[in-house]
């Protein structure tokens, strides 16, 4: 196992969606013992604290149907600057959300270093909506679209005016709630998706082997893991804002993380959508920390 110098960055942002409480996610994950768990594996960990997020009432942008656009842009721009600095210093950025809109900032910051970044989107949702296709106007359903260059220009051009990720370098794992507009976009852009059908039919081992081989074939210069806790079945992660039944199991998720660690491909990660208000005795944050353990090389024997 390679020893890493890991920087934890908290992003207490809940403006990308409509249910309050996910801003407390970073604190819940820290409380669940993230730093100690990773240090016990043998890595160096620095907690960089939280990105400042301004207080505001949830509201629509005056010139957009996207909710809280200004607040999301402000926090994500600060996050992008921080992630870029962490990567420039040779450290592994581990970002704690917050809602999934923070991926816009994470991927923007990573784009300074990685020109051919691979992305594993571990999620029940595709997060490929735009203002035109979104049923809700919630930006946490749009970060992947913005990162491949589609959607509101202020999100697409956040931090730098360029496409942050190539769609053909994206792999979505665990999808089971995809909007019609997203479905069309997946086909148009050639995005690789493993739905729960493929996971149930072929097993997580086969899915992860195929995903890892695919990323290697793309000659990626780094791989970012964006893990939404609603990718797992709500039985294991009740504290999420948009739970979808029939998800990935606890055991399958640990296997996936272990296989990613064995691959040596992952160069950054984020864990998002932990909402303590909706949770049961911090169960979802505990699962997040356990998955981090597997991702960073924790072994039973």
């Amino acid at each position: 196992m390679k020893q890493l110098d890991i920087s934890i960055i908290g992003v207490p942002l809940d403006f990308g969606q409509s249910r309050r409480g996910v801003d407390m996610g970073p604190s819940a994950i820290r409380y669940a013992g993230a730093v100690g768990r990773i240090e016990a594996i043998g890595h160096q960990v620095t907690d960089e604290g939280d990105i400042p997020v301004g207080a505001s009432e949830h509201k629509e942008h005056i010139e957009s149907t996207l909710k809280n656009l200004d607040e999301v842009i402000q926090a994500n721009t600060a996050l992008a600057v921080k992630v870029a600095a962490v990567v420039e210093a040779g450290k592994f950025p581990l970002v704690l959300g917050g809602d999934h809109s923070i991926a816009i900032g994470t991927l923007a910051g990573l784009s300074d270093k990685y020109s051919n970044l691979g992305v594993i989107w571990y999620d029940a949702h595709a997060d490929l909506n735009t203002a035109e296709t979104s049923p809700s106007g919630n930006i946490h359903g749009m970060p992947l679209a913005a990162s491949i260059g589609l959607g509101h220009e202020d999100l697409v051009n956040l931090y730098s005016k360029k496409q942050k990720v190539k769609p053909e370098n994206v792999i979505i794992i665990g999808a089971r709630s995809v909007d019609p507009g997203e479905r069309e976009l997946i086909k148009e852009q050639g995005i690789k998706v493993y739905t729960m059908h493929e996971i149930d039919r072929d097993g997580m081992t086969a899915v992860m082997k195929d995903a890892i081989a695919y990323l290697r074939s793309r000659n990626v210069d780094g791989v970012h893991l964006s893990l939404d806790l609603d990718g797992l079945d709500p039985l294991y992660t009740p504290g999420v804002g948009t739970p979808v039944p029939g998800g990935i199991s606890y055991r399958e998720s640990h296997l996936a993380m272990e296989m990613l660690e064995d691959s040596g491909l992952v160069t950054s990660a984020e864990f998002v959508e932990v909402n303590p208000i909706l949770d049961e005795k911090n169960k979802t944050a505990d699962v997040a920390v356990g998955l981090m353990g597997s991702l960073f090389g924790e072994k039973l024997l």
Side-chain angles (χ1 to χ4, degrees):
M1 180 194 72
K2 179 183 177 182
Q3 288 191 332
L4 301 172
D5 193 349
I6 298 169
S7 282
I8 290 179
I9 306 166
V11 193
L13 180 70
D14 70 348
F15 293 129
Q17 45 82 68
S18 300
R19 303 186 75 172
R20 308 311 296 266
V22 74
D23 57 319
M24 296 185 284
S27 293
I29 294 171
R30 289 184 174 104
Y31 181 76
V35 172
R37 186 79 169 256
I38 299 170
E39 285 180 335
I41 299 168
H43 302 294
Q44 176 80 26
V45 181
T46 302
D47 191 337
E48 306 279 356
D50 288 345
I51 297 296
V53 177
S56 174
E57 294 298 322
H58 282 246
K59 63 184 185 299
E60 291 190 1
H61 186 270
I62 191 169
E63 297 177 352
S64 173
T65 58
L66 305 188
K67 297 174 183 176
N68 307 298
L69 179 61
D70 293 335
E71 291 82 1
V72 170
I73 289 171
Q74 183 180 23
N76 273 286
T77 300
L79 174 59
V81 171
K82 184 63 177 179
V83 168
V86 165
V87 172
E88 178 66 23
K91 298 182 178 182
F92 183 110
L94 174 59
V95 183
L96 311 180
D99 69 62
H100 215 163
S101 70
I102 71 170
I104 300 172
T106 303
L107 291 171
L110 293 172
S111 69
D112 267 3
K113 178 176 177 62
Y114 301 104
S115 60
N116 195 39
L117 183 69
V119 174
I120 295 176
W121 203 263
Y122 201 90
D123 200 327
H125 309 89
D127 293 343
L128 284 165
N129 273 305
T130 63
E132 291 71 33
T133 65
S134 173
S136 66
N138 290 329
I139 299 176
H140 79 155
M142 306 178 187
L144 193 49
S147 299
I148 64 172
L150 301 172
H152 194 287
E153 63 178 1
D154 289 345
L155 298 177
V156 170
N157 295 319
L158 186 137
Y159 183 66
S160 59
K161 294 184 178 181
K162 64 180 179 181
Q163 181 187 57
K164 309 309 190 296
V165 180
K166 299 172 185 176
E168 60 270 26
N169 284 0
V170 173
I171 297 176
I172 300 172
I173 296 176
R176 55 193 184 278
S177 177
V178 180
D179 294 322
E182 295 178 305
R183 196 174 298 121
E184 292 304 313
L185 193 59
I186 287 168
K187 294 175 183 177
E188 291 171 6
Q189 298 291 324
I191 295 172
K192 196 170 184 64
V193 181
Y194 298 94
T195 68
M196 289 308 303
H197 172 79
E198 282 78 32
I199 294 173
D200 289 341
R201 182 190 65 197
D202 303 328
M204 183 59 84
T205 299
V207 164
M208 293 308 299
K209 281 184 177 179
D210 193 55
I212 290 166
Y214 177 79
L215 290 172
R216 292 192 193 280
S217 75
R218 294 288 310 156
N219 294 314
V220 294
D221 53 0
V223 172
H224 175 65
L225 170 67
S226 190
L227 191 149
D228 188 323
L229 272 298
D230 73 24
L232 282 78
D233 192 276
L235 175 68
Y236 310 101
T237 55
V240 296
T242 50
V244 184
I248 305 171
S249 76
Y250 178 81
R251 289 169 59 190
E252 288 169 328
S253 295
H254 274 283
L255 174 62
M257 297 304 105
E258 290 162 357
M259 292 182 71
L260 286 176
E261 195 277 331
D262 288 342
S263 76
L265 289 176
V266 177
T267 50
S268 57
E270 62 196 346
F271 287 72
V272 304
E273 298 285 358
V274 173
N275 189 328
I277 290 177
L278 304 174
D279 208 3
E280 301 168 1
K281 298 180 180 179
N282 218 30
K283 182 177 181 179
T284 304
D286 286 336
V287 169
V289 171
L291 295 178
M292 289 176 197
S294 291
L295 178 66
F296 291 116
E298 190 174 70
K299 303 295 184 185
L300 181 62
L301 297 174

